[in-house]
Amino acid sequence: MKKISIISISLIILLILVFVLVKPIQEIVSVSLVSETTEITYTDSESIRIFEDAIRTVKKVRGAVDVGPPSYRMTVTYADSEIVDFSLYMDLKAKNGFLIKNSNSEKMLDLKDKNAVELADLLSKEK
């Protein structure tokens, strides 16, 4: 009897951990960018993939950040209708950049090199 209750409790804890730790990846349906000179919305699968990869793989930078105006104001719309606003800072020539989530404007989210290059290439097509 004791063995069965230990196994049952273990299974319940395991299921809770799996449920909490395995978050479904939110699907992006559109990304809108606004700069001083451009306003564009991306809905095609390849562009969405580039943005999804970039957002999913950012590295949080320690400490607070104080920067000037962003290269782009970015609005990401997810399939569940959630909307998240970011500031996107991109150097298209150096092909690097970072994001700041508007709901937490003191934390910088550094783009991985590969993602920054893909984003810079995508954004350069629009100029």
Side-chain angles (χ1 to χ4, degrees), residues 9-20:
I9 292 171
S10 298
L11 284 173
I12 291 170
I13 291 172
L14 180 64
L15 288 173
I16 291 170
L17 283 173
V18 167
F19 181 74
V20 169

Side-chain angles (χ1 to χ4, degrees), residues 61 65 67 87-90 96-100 107-111:
V61 176
V65 65
V67 293
S87 294
L88 173 61
Y89 295 81
M90 283 296 300
N96 61 30
F98 62 92
L99 295 171
I100 295 179
K107 292 290 181 190
M108 186 171 99
L109 307 169
D110 196 24
L111 295 169

Side-chain angles (χ1 to χ4, degrees), residues 12-124:
I12 291 170
I13 291 172
L14 180 64
L15 288 173
I16 291 170
L17 283 173
V18 167
F19 181 74
V20 169
L21 295 177
V22 179
K23 296 177 187 175
I25 297 175
Q26 289 183 294
E27 181 185 347
I28 295 175
V29 293
S30 71
V31 176
S32 298
L33 297 175
V34 177
S35 72
E36 290 181 2
T37 59
T38 307
E39 187 171 334
I40 186 162
T41 299
Y42 295 94
T43 56
D44 64 285
S45 60
E46 181 58 22
S47 298
I48 295 296
R49 183 201 59 78
I50 291 170
F51 283 104
E52 280 179 334
D53 287 349
I55 292 168
R56 192 179 67 251
T57 61
V58 293
K59 296 181 292 187
K60 292 180 184 174
V61 176
R62 294 181 120 175
V65 65
D66 183 19
V67 293
S71 309
Y72 300 92
R73 289 186 323 271
M74 182 169 89
T75 301
V76 177
T77 305
Y78 291 94
D80 65 358
S81 300
E82 179 184 4
I83 296 173
V84 180
D85 292 317
F86 293 90
S87 294
L88 173 61
Y89 295 81
M90 283 296 300
D91 182 336
L92 297 179
K93 290 181 183 174
K95 296 188 177 186
N96 61 30
F98 62 92
L99 295 171
I100 295 179
K101 197 172 192 178
N102 290 1
S103 63
N104 189 1
S105 61
E106 292 184 358
K107 292 290 181 190
M108 186 171 99
L109 307 169
D110 196 24
L111 295 169
K112 288 191 172 183
D113 291 342
K114 172 187 175 268
N115 300 114
V117 168
E118 286 183 332
L119 269 178
D121 290 345
L122 177 65
L123 298 174
S124 294

